[in-house]
Amino acid sequence: MKKIKYIVIAVVSVVLLATGCIQEIDPQTSTVTITQAANAPGAYDNFVDAITGQLTGQFTYNGNSSSTPWDFGYPSFYLQRDVMGQDMVCETAGSEWYGTWYGCGTGLGPQYAVCQVPWTYYYKWIKNCNNVINMYLAAPTEDHEVGAGIAYAMRAMFYMDLARMFCPSTYAVDKNAITVPIITEETQLEDLTSNPRATNEVMWAQILSDLDKAEGFLNGYNRPDKYVPDQSVVYGLKARAYLTMEDWANAQKYAKMAQSGYTMMSRDQYLSMTDGFNTPNSSWMFAMTYKPDDPNIIYNDADSCWGSQMIIEVSESGCGYSSNYVGPKRIDYHLFSTIPDSDFRKMCWVDWDIDDLGSKDAKIEALSAYSTSPAGLYNTGTTVSGSGILGGMPVKFRPKGGEHSDQYAAFTVAVPIMRVEEMMLIEAEAAGMQNEANGVALLTAFAQTRDPQFNYADATYDNYGGKQTKFQNACWWQRRVELWGEGFATYDIKRLRKGVIRSYPGTNHPESYRWNTTEPPQWMTLCIVQTETNYNSACEQNPTPIKPSADSPEYTW
Amino acid sequence: MKGTKLFVTCLLMVISTALFAQNITVKGVVTDADTGEGIPFASIQLKGTLSGTATDADGNYSITVPRNAVLVFSSIGYVTQEVAVDGKAQHNVMLATDAENLAETIVVAFGTTTKEAFTGSAAVMKSEEISKRSTTNIANALVGQVAGLQMRGASGAPGAGSGSMNIRGIASMYADTDPLIIVDGAPYPANLSNIPQSDIESISVLKDAASAALYGARGAAGVIIITTKKSRSQDAIVNFEAKVGVNSRSMQDYETITDPGEYYEAYYAQLYNQYYYGQGMAAADANVKANSRMISDLGYQVYTVPSGQQIIGLDGKLNPSATLGYAIPYNGETYWLQPDNWKEMAYKNALRQEYNLSINGGGPKSSFYASLGYLNEDGIIEYSGYERLSARLKADYQVKKWLKVGGNVGFTHSNRTSNPNMGTSLGSTNLMYYTTQIAPIYPVFVRVLENGVPVIRTDEHGNEQYDYGVAGADYPVNRAFLQTGNPLGSNRYNQAYQGGNQLNGTFTVDVDITRFLRANVTSTVTWGQTNYSNYDNALYGPKVSVNGELSKEESTSFRTNNIQTLTYYDTFGSHNVNVMLGHEYYLTRSRDLSATARGIFTPEILEINAAANKVTSSSYNSSYNVEGYFLSAQYNYAQKYYVSGSFRRDASSRFAKDHRWGNFWSAGAAWIMSKENFLSGATWIDQLKLKASIGQQGNDGIGGWNYIELYSLSPSSTYQMAPAFSALGNPNITWETTTNMNIGAEFSFFKGRLSGSVDFYNKLATDQLFWLSVPEHAGARGYYGNMGDIQNLGVEIVLNGTLIRTKVVDWSVSVNASTNKTKILSLPESKLVDPENGYYGFTESSQWLKIGGPLYNAFRAVYAGTNDEGEALYWVDDSLNGKTNVPGKNFDSTTTNPNVATKYELGSLLPKVFGGFGTNFRAGGFDLSLTFDYQLGGKVYDTRYAGFMSPCADAGDAGSTFHKDWVRSWSVNNTSSEIPRWQYGDQYTTAASDRWLTSASYLNFQSFTCGYTFPKNLIPGISKLRIFASGENLWFWSARKGLDPRYSYTGNTTVAVYSPVRTISGGIQLTF
């Protein structure tokens, strides 16, 4: 009897164990554990690729949701920064997603989600850099040096952006003004709860030190495409850094070094209706690209991407915020009116004169000088856009391959991060700040490639409240025209201590947004999201910008 | 296989050994005389001695006694019966129910028990009550019926899943708080709409540790056990039920402006006020400017006025000469603008039909239950509906005297027609939001004038053109409201459906190893398959240029649950013992495969193969695994003193290897006071029971891989994937533990005229799976850790009273009420904002969560009325120097800028009391029952009312309708108003503040049923015939018309398209 019982218990135990033993389960999808990532073939290089691979295309802020059409990566910050100034004009009726930045909206306050956007993006990007640097330092082998170089270069680039967006003052004015908290490969999680914002002095030293390392590691690196940085990009980043620091000698030196191997965009390249500002060419030093199966392209009718905001020649597709829902972000009327007709860059924006032509047919005929879809452009300007006019519409950023009806294809474009033209302008400005005649010569040489009739004496040097010389204003004007839409407006206004002028006779800024200031507006110094200051006790806050209560009196030039 | 053979051999040997015993072994089954069901744990005593035994869970017993013995069969709720053995080895005994002392059987963890023996706290809903309801998802029938249960965000969409449920308060701050659902013994994470309510025998809601701890691992938030029907009788019974009814919209709307003229007046007023008062323009200029700005903002002008006149006159009223409709010539056609009634066009009354047929019966060795059901529920929104076909076969068979096997196989096929506008966010993909939010000036269709008559514009195929508000593509002007959206149009030409199949098999084997030892093996396999198809049309809307888009998705899930138990039970005199040892293994694996293509050949072939351009494809799979070992023991002395205990050790795949296992336990006791001699004199007491329990359960509800750093992959080049950082991990996370204490009493007085229960509970959730925030410059916002303790303290009262009980008339009333109080006992130090200055808390989701404070503690600016200009004011505590992340105490000054307004803690938003009440009435063959549910106290943030009361800050806000209350705004003639001025450009008029915290009390008339049962055998062959009418979600009262506090605890920031739908149906029940 007893024996039987034991056997029975044994049998039951066998059945028990037959279905037993908890399993090790690893993710089987596009989210992986660090262990899986580290064990994957080519792990180190994969981590390096991720640094630049996710600059665009992903809904990094909102996860997989496409409900916020500004959630499309690095180029979105171009627009956030450019609409805060005066050179880019937003429509106000309809779903203008950049209204918060253009109109000093409540969302800029630290209690709002929009305020969190740069924080979420940049520090995730920085974390990817820190990971690679950590991996390199743990086992510093020669074949890992390029990866480390890319990580250092990109980290420097990200911190330069953050410093310029969040610091109330530039390095040259106040070395002790505070930027953002620094996190490097050495920072421990427990240090973060009391990590103060670094001063300009500390921050820019950190940036330069990273760039020095990157310069060394990337020496001789021959990159596969322009979507990853090489040594010339590091020179370019150094030129930007020294320009901001107003270390003119170094700015000139590195801007010059960076230009090696590149040539300026020609008139044809600049105005190409198929490839204009959507494909890397000989002038592009560094870029990023949307890919056909990026979430930004696939979801929400591709309405949540760069193209939806800046590529306006897709009326036929029925989609795209700029072409079909809200209307395009236009050039400031005053800036446009200062571009001579002989400057070919003027063809990047539709001339206001076309609105004065009598018939619809005449207008469409005139628009065919700007686009292979003049009727679509006409519809966008006159019907879609609240202002109902054609003047000032941008055609700088072209739909891919000139495609007008399939926005998915049209928006799968590359976007420049650095062009040789910017380097030439840095070189000219930096040279001129040391010896004006040298600068004028360089600037003239540059400008004459755009406008053969350029004559320095007749250059535009609107001052916007700054205290610069005619020369520096002339350089700034070139930058405004040459680099329009590429994310430099806020940086330059803060660097040059300019005001903003949106209210003047004939302005195309809409009512209730016509604000003039005599110094860089408060809203260009972004607030830090409150959750950061809540959990990082050492992090000071910037003041919440207050929207001007009324339009300013018109400024007379 | 070899094991099985050995096993059976062993068992045979056990049986043969028994034959050598001296006395006779009597066996049999003890059944309920009414239902034919086995009576579990009935006592069988050898008369004149203290020795005896008890039946097993199914009523079977076996006892070895002298050949001339007399056996006494007794069980609570039944009349005791004596049976002489007379040398016969088989005695099946039927016990008559004792009407005065009815004992309920309840299904508990891994078995059943009687209500008397139960030391825990549970609510039971039996098929009799369930059958009175007409719900597609049975979870909806629990609200108001189960004390302590709350549901939020339930959808009335045909075939929808359940809303989120909470049992006894909020079990956790960051991990899941939904109860574990068990169907026929196995965890059931799928949609409960897959189980027809007519197949359900009972639902037990286990609330405390003693009842739920055996599901230790995941029982912290309570357990809902659903048991399907089995045969109740040995005679064949055929049941047929048919219900046909009408679904209609029960949601109430806010009192918004619905007249286009009134809307223009309201829009105009804010502009005029800005120009006239704000900018000091002359009245006539302000009038002209406001009129033109109004049309440029709104895009659409739907009134025609004589040329040179304005739509709104200087008196602020609609021009009396204005006529509705406005013509715009464009591209050779004359477009015609006129408003449509969106709500009316969106909703309709819909048919609901349900038919169920069941057959049950059996023999002495077997029972059999089969059912077939069909449900067809049309949605109240066009192109939405649910169709379900279900079948079930449940049978068991006594193979040998010591071996019983059972099977339960259910299959459900469902088809859900949906539409792409069922989102819950406040946006254009939420039809409900869209149609209630849009200003009453906008048309649904694009119209043109044909021979001077407005007609809906059609394309070359005769399809009607819906207005998506895109200038040029639709009307020549832009619509201000949610452009590119038109949920009615999307419904019309888009096609979305979801097909589902679920096959569910449970197999059980019971082996009686000895008289007192039984083994049970229960294995459940559930296979679920869902296929989605979503077609975005090529005619209108965003997919025109790509010739339509088609998405397909197939997902399958395969879940297995294996339980092995070994039960020892014995009776020594008055001592009854039952000990169970078990093992459970749950594994679920799901796979998903999907693809999207554009360029559709024809909408008649909605397959990827007939599409030109394959855009994306994806596949992934996920798994989840839990394993546990458990031990439970019950002991009672003379069925007067009950003690129970359990222990369970569980592992979850959601934690790292070294932190995977958790130990859970419970202990409970019950004392049937009414059986004591000192109460024998109190004849009015039928039963009085005191009970207490304590125990610990776990919670792992945070999703997978939070214990390790995660990376998200995206292509870095054509043939290369790159991992970018996505989340931090914490290798140390482990089970969140809930310690659950319960003290209660159950009573029945005056021959069952008054019965009920009172329960006090104290739930402590410790080592919470807490979301630990880190400063975001870490690259992430936080990670999980086991920190923080919260407490839920509450009382539940259930009362049932019989007012009239005669042969002809019966009338009873029941009511239940629960209170729950939450308290945060400790928080992770890193979360505390400023402990140095006494702020032991942090803010999140507009709540101030502090040590010692409640959950859902509202943290908002406080509205201070209006200033002399009519602008909204908010209080400031000057001592905080502008800080908005800690609560203010003093009301020192006011500001018009809510960004610098101080936030104050305003107390818990959770309701004070909630529950339900109902009544049952019967007179002869006529019966009537009504149920209500209610909630008292608590606050809810009325986001939608705030939106409707908001003047436009800029043109981007234009296009939404306004609440009629706008006319009561502050104005120079109405300076005493608490509502700020109605002026365009004012950004902060309706800023977030306590102004929008509204009472969350509600009363819901949930259901009624009235029927007539014809006298027995009126028609030969038909033993029962009943006709009835019933209704669900009949009427709803809340603090503000349109506000439904049942969406969430915090506010209506999201709303379901389908708030619960009103169903009124009639039906017939036939039993042969």
Side-chain angles (χ1 to χ4, degrees), chain B residues 221-250:
Chain B
V223 181
I224 295 178
I225 300 180
I226 294 174
T227 309
T228 57
K229 281 181 182 164
K230 60 178 273 183
S231 174
R232 289 166 147 240
S233 136
Q234 298 202 351
D235 295 327
I237 295 175
V238 178
N239 263 309
F240 175 74
E241 187 182 57
K243 275 185 209 176
V244 177
V246 177
N247 283 341
S248 60
R249 184 164 180 249
S250 67

Side-chain angles (χ1 to χ4, degrees), chain B residues 836-917:
Chain B
E836 288 85 24
N837 290 309
Y839 297 109
Y840 295 96
F842 67 99
T843 164
E844 198 165 83
S845 312
S846 300
Q847 297 164 36
W848 174 251
L849 300 166
K850 68 170 181 186
I851 298 170
L855 295 175
Y856 290 96
N857 186 14
F859 185 59
R860 297 273 183 188
V862 171
Y863 182 59
T866 55
N867 65 9
D868 293 345
E869 316 257 82
E871 291 172 292
L873 291 175
Y874 304 93
W875 283 107
V876 175
D877 180 337
D878 293 339
S879 65
L880 292 181
N881 295 321
K883 273 192 211 156
T884 55
N885 61 348
V886 291
K889 289 187 182 67
N890 309 317
F891 296 84
D892 297 323
S893 58
T894 58
T895 176
T896 53
N897 179 1
N899 285 318
V900 298
T902 300
K903 292 183 179 171
Y904 298 86
E905 47 176 328
L906 300 167
S908 172
L909 296 172
L910 300 172
K912 303 275 178 285
V913 183
F914 59 92
F917 55 90

Side-chain angles (χ1 to χ4, degrees), chain A residues 1 4-5 7-9 11-12 15-17 19-35 37 41 43 46-47 49-50 53-54 58 61 92-95 103-106 109-112 116 119-121 123-124 127-128 131 181-183 187 189 191-193 195 291-294 297-301 303 316-319 324-326 360 379 383-386 405-408 511-513 529-537 544-547, chain B residues 3 6-7 10-11 13-14 17 275 289 293 296-297 330-331 470-472 475-478 480 483-484 513-514 516-517 519 521 536 542-543 545-546 549 562 564 566 582-583 585 587 589 598 613 615-616 619-621 623-627 629 651-653 657 660-661 705 707-716 720-726 728 773-781 783 830-833 842-844 884-885 897-899 903 953-956 987-988:
Chain A
M1 186 73 185
I4 296 159
K5 234 182 245 172
I7 293 166
V8 169
I9 290 166
V11 169
V12 169
V15 176
L16 222 92
L17 292 170
T19 61
C21 278
I22 186 129
Q23 297 180 4
E24 284 298 315
I25 296 170
D26 276 328
Q28 298 294 312
T29 180
S30 56
T31 298
V32 301
T33 67
I34 190 167
T35 322
N46 292 342
F47 280 109
D49 288 348
Q54 292 206 349
Q58 313 290 320
Y61 178 78
T92 52
S95 319
C104 188
T106 40
Q111 298 175 42
Y112 294 87
Q116 192 167 23
W119 224 251
T120 302
Y121 262 102
Y123 279 109
K124 220 162 223 164
K127 168 89 178 169
N128 286 327
N131 276 346
I182 293 178
I183 178 166
T187 317
L189 202 55
D191 303 336
L192 304 185
T193 53
N195 189 10
K291 296 181 278 295
D293 55 356
D294 278 343
I297 297 295
I298 291 173
Y299 301 116
N300 196 25
D301 310 323
D303 280 339
E316 291 82 344
S317 73
C319 293
N324 282 301
Y325 312 149
V326 187
K360 175 183 172 183
N379 180 58
T383 312
V384 172
S385 145
S405 58
D406 179 358
Q407 82 278 11
Y408 301 101
E511 235 185 279
S512 314
Y513 299 88
V529 66
Q530 196 179 59
T531 50
E532 173 72 26
T533 53
N534 279 350
Y535 300 119
N536 177 2
S537 55
T544 305
I546 295 171
K547 179 177 174 170
Chain B
L6 183 67
F7 185 50
C10 293
L11 288 166
M13 288 169 74
V14 172
T17 336
Y275 292 132
K289 192 144 191 214
R293 182 69 181 265
S296 87
D297 279 5
Y330 178 70
N331 274 353
V470 177
Y475 282 103
V477 283
N478 264 320
Q483 232 182 1
T484 77
I513 300 167
T514 68
F516 50 79
L517 197 62
V521 176
D536 224 341
K543 306 297 182 197
S545 67
V546 293
E549 183 178 281
N562 294 289
Q564 301 89 27
L566 196 61
H583 170 246
Y585 189 82
L587 177 66
R589 178 158 285 150
R598 300 186 183 123
N613 187 347
V615 189
T616 61
S619 83
Y620 61 87
N621 78 68
S623 306
Y624 171 51
N625 193 192
V626 179
E627 181 172 27
Y629 295 90
S652 164
S653 64
K657 212 169 182 176
R660 191 165 274 172
W661 291 92
W705 305 294
Y707 59 84
I708 189 163
E709 204 164 281
L710 292 176
Y711 286 76
S712 70
L713 300 179
S714 68
S716 56
Q720 207 74 44
M721 286 295 258
F725 171 75
S726 76
L728 294 171
S773 299
V774 293
E776 200 178 348
H777 76 279
R781 295 175 192 167
Y783 56 88
S830 66
K831 276 271 185 183
L832 307 180
V833 169
F842 67 99
T843 164
E844 198 165 83
T884 55
N885 61 348
N897 179 1
N899 285 318
K903 292 183 179 171
D954 56 40
Q987 268 180 303
Y988 301 132

Side-chain angles (χ1 to χ4, degrees), chain B residues 118-192:
Chain B
F118 189 51
T119 59
S121 178
V124 181
M125 211 172 159
K126 295 230 162 194
S127 58
E128 295 80 49
E129 294 151 71
I130 296 168
S131 69
K132 289 177 183 164
R133 306 295 298 272
S134 307
T135 55
T136 303
N137 186 324
I138 194 65
N140 294 329
L142 298 175
V143 178
Q145 302 296 301
V146 175
L149 179 138
Q150 288 165 290
M151 186 148 85
R152 284 291 176 274
S155 166
S162 325
S164 70
M165 279 183 273
N166 278 318
I167 294 172
R168 290 191 165 177
I170 317 291
S172 174
M173 288 173 76
Y174 293 94
D176 286 349
T177 59
D178 281 317
L180 174 69
I181 293 176
I182 303 282
V183 174
D184 288 329
Y188 184 87
N191 188 346
L192 282 175

